[in-house]
Amino acid sequence: MRSLFINGEKVVTTQAIQNVNPSDTADVVGEYAMAGIQETQDAIAAARAAFPAWAAATPQARHDILLRAGNEILDRRRELADLLAREEGKLLGEAEIEVVRAGHILQFFAGEAVRLKGETGASVRPGIYVDVTREPVGVIGLITPWNFPIAIPAWKIAPALAYGNTVVFKPAELVPGSAWELVDILHRAGLPPGVLNLLTGKGSVVGQAILDDPAVDAISFTGSQATGKRVAQASLAHMRRFQLEMGGKNPLLVLDDADLEIAVECALDGSFYSTGQRCTASSRLIVTNSIHDRFVEMLAERMRRLVVGDARKPGTGMGPVVDENQLRQDTDYIEVARRQGGTLRTGGERLRRETPGYYLSPALITNTTNDMRINREEVFGPVASVIRVRDYEEGLSVANDTEFGLCAGICTTSLKYASDFKQKSEAGMVMVNLPTAGVDHHVPFGGRKGSSFGPREQGAHAREFFTEIKTSYTRP
Ligand code: ADP
């Protein structure tokens, strides 16, 4: 059994989580420890005890550990990608991109650890100087989802550690493997005991125990809106800071003047790569009249050519859905869309392959309107719907008519419309002639409205969440 990490020790438990391969449910990736409330409290106590020394560690010491860990991830990219593809169902190529990204994130925050600076200036009063400095926040609870098993943990753990915080980390139940490797790598890179604790286990037990513990100073969460709201409520009860990423209903607006090849490529990638299981996926394809039929025709054709199969098999174009629950959610939403008047243009069928797995053909639903449930609620699978609009103005208004606001894309050759869309989109991230999914690691990531809450993640902006500001006045 793969252990927990508490206070630098590998701890095993009586109960275990089975990590199953969604491409072949007969293949058990491994058994992982299942923490309970006692282990969670032990981990929080260890993080508390380790905090003063880690907060006082030199930036160079933090840098060296993060850099060593980042380098090891890059050296082992193939092996880690294979594990990720096997436990989550992402294609090997996509998994390798994710692993490399995690390595780069650790390297980036190694640099940030030594770059962190304050400000100093004159007071408005004579003879006084003012310093603005940043300090670590304390013990941080990190709760992550299954769809990016190594990159999301890396982009929360790396800034937390770089800026001198200690961590209690709870990955999603479905993907404990990549999380375990990441934590093991960081420990072997030299992290002192208690600085980073790993609690594999149930959200309702371990996650909830982290939320309920007043000794946790801050929580960074990525997952569903429902759990995000719990994180917010529990955090307000303790007056602690929190940061939430909760998905999207991201529009891709395709205008008549778009390059059709590029538009179809953006939709195919944005809607169906990683089996559509990305919070930045394009789930609403908003298409203007004159290009609509040709766009739908070409996209459906490209979708039919995507080979759905085992994530680790050469030639596969789309891997399985992550588990039975998610698959049921995907097919239920397709059914709801049809009942409300949508047309299933292609896909949406459960497929049989050589091995038992959660295979679904990519689904395209046409003739939908923005008020249908398929266009209001996040599906989180290989399902996209098409909304026909008159012109750019109507498209913009439909794109913004959502309670989410993570990412929005436009395909057009017009500088005028592209510029206008960048200004008027009510999303945290905007893409022009690019898929809505697929972002850089060194710039802010995050959304608006119901998608996100709190400061941005990633890049140097991550320090806003992971540090506290202090203003000091001195009369020399
Ligand atoms: P998803 O639909 O992506 O699984 P969830 O919000 O259910 O979204 O899960 C995201 C993370 O939140 C997972 O690590 C999960 O275990 C955790 N989680 C689920 N329920 C709770 C809870 N009640 N308290 C804290 N964390 C939870």
Side-chain angles (χ1 to χ4, degrees):
M1 177 195 296
R2 287 288 200 203
S3 61
L4 314 172
F5 281 80
I6 300 176
N7 203 21
E9 303 281 334
K10 292 183 180 167
V11 175
V12 291
T13 54
T14 42
Q15 283 189 303
I17 303 173
Q18 284 226 327
N19 186 357
V20 174
N21 178 354
S23 300
D24 176 4
T25 54
D27 174 31
V28 176
V29 181
E31 301 233 312
Y32 289 78
M34 183 161 8
I37 294 196
Q38 186 59 52
E39 287 86 3
T40 308
Q41 287 170 349
D42 292 348
I44 294 169
R48 206 55 287 149
F51 176 63
W54 183 246
T58 62
Q60 188 65 47
R62 294 187 210 137
H63 164 278
D64 293 350
I65 293 168
L66 289 169
L67 187 63
R68 265 197 295 277
N71 291 344
E72 179 172 336
I73 288 175
L74 295 179
D75 289 345
R76 292 173 55 199
R77 64 179 71 177
R78 283 283 165 81
E79 171 206 341
L80 293 170
D82 189 70
L83 170 64
L84 198 163
R86 192 171 157 209
E87 72 174 347
E88 201 265 354
K90 213 167 265 193
L91 300 187
L92 268 185
E94 294 173 331
E96 191 170 328
I97 290 169
E98 183 181 336
V99 169
V100 167
R101 178 171 181 189
H104 287 159
I105 288 168
L106 264 65
Q107 292 178 333
F108 178 87
F109 282 104
E112 284 300 287
V114 289
R115 269 193 294 270
L116 186 66
K117 288 196 292 281
E119 300 158 29
T120 189
S123 163
V124 292
R125 292 170 284 162
I128 297 175
Y129 291 90
V130 190
D131 299 310
V132 180
T133 51
R134 287 179 183 270
E135 297 176 0
V137 177
V139 175
I140 315 240
L142 303 179
I143 301 177
T144 58
W146 49 261
N147 65 327
F148 283 90
I150 195 163
I152 294 181
W155 84 52
K156 293 186 193 290
I157 291 171
L161 299 180
Y163 302 129
N165 305 283
T166 56
V167 170
V168 176
F169 163 41
K170 198 215 88 68
E173 292 90 321
L174 289 174
V175 290
S178 303
W180 193 93
E181 294 296 338
L182 176 63
V183 172
D184 182 57
I185 288 169
L186 278 156
H187 275 93
R188 285 187 293 93
L191 270 189
V195 169
L196 171 61
N197 303 277
L198 172 70
L199 296 165
T200 41
K202 288 195 171 145
S204 55
V205 178
V206 177
Q208 193 63 44
I210 295 173
L211 300 190
D212 293 341
D213 200 319
V216 176
D217 298 301
I219 298 204
S220 177
F221 166 85
T222 302
S224 65
Q225 270 191 323
T227 312
K229 284 194 178 132
R230 294 177 94 103
V231 174
Q233 275 154 4
S235 298
L236 285 174
H238 296 299
M239 295 297 273
R240 76 157 75 95
R241 67 169 65 188
F242 59 98
Q243 174 184 52
L244 311 172
E245 277 304 335
M246 298 167 293
K249 196 70 212 169
N250 309 295
L252 176 70
L253 176 54
V254 178
L255 299 187
D256 287 350
D257 66 12
D259 177 318
L260 191 57
E261 282 286 339
I262 290 177
V264 169
E265 205 49 56
C266 287
L268 191 76
D269 176 328
S271 303
F272 305 111
Y273 288 6
S274 299
T275 320
Q277 298 174 147
R278 296 186 283 190
C279 45
T280 47
S282 322
S283 50
R284 293 183 298 143
L285 306 172
I286 304 166
V287 189
T288 48
N289 256 329
S290 312
I291 200 170
H292 177 280
D293 294 354
R294 277 181 301 144
F295 172 82
V296 166
E297 184 70 33
M298 252 176 93
L299 178 60
E301 172 56 28
R302 292 293 304 277
M303 288 168 64
R304 280 191 285 269
R305 280 194 276 138
L306 263 190
V307 179
V308 179
D310 188 317
R312 295 188 300 156
K313 220 165 134 186
T316 302
M318 192 180 96
V321 172
V322 76
D323 72 355
E324 187 68 48
N325 284 336
Q326 187 59 55
L327 186 81
R328 197 172 323 116
Q329 178 164 320
D330 298 344
T331 48
D332 282 355
Y333 268 111
I334 294 170
E335 204 32 54
V336 167
R338 288 170 73 164
R339 274 207 308 268
Q340 293 195 320
T343 309
L344 181 60
R345 170 72 190 237
T346 182
E349 278 169 78
R350 187 150 190 181
L351 303 172
R352 282 185 172 278
R353 292 293 177 260
E354 280 162 31
T355 50
Y358 307 113
Y359 298 109
L360 182 70
S361 53
L364 188 67
I365 302 159
T366 54
N367 293 323
T368 75
T369 51
N370 201 41
D371 54 356
M372 292 180 180
R373 277 185 63 199
I374 191 72
N375 289 321
R376 308 307 302 181
E377 299 167 24
E378 188 176 46
V379 178
F380 220 69
V383 181
S385 52
V386 182
I387 305 168
R388 187 195 280 267
V389 289
R390 233 179 6 258
D391 53 18
Y392 168 73
E393 278 72 27
E394 189 188 357
L396 171 69
S397 133
V398 168
N400 283 336
D401 177 12
T402 166
E403 67 164 291
F404 292 98
L406 187 56
C407 198
I410 186 167
C411 289
T412 178
T413 48
S414 151
L415 182 61
K416 182 177 134 200
Y417 290 135
S419 309
D420 195 72
F421 190 75
K422 281 198 281 183
Q423 275 177 39
K424 299 201 179 133
S425 167
E426 294 168 8
M429 296 177 288
V430 180
M431 307 289 183
V432 177
N433 294 321
L434 285 166
T436 54
V439 296
D440 287 2
H441 74 270
H442 67 302
V443 287
F445 177 96
R448 299 183 184 177
K449 300 200 273 189
S451 286
S452 308
F453 188 90
R456 290 286 186 266
E457 302 199 72
Q458 302 200 60
H461 286 73
R463 68 172 177 249
E464 298 304 332
F465 182 75
F466 290 102
T467 62
E468 289 269 18
I469 283 182
K470 181 176 280 167
T471 313
S472 321
Y473 296 82
T474 310
R475 181 160 61 192

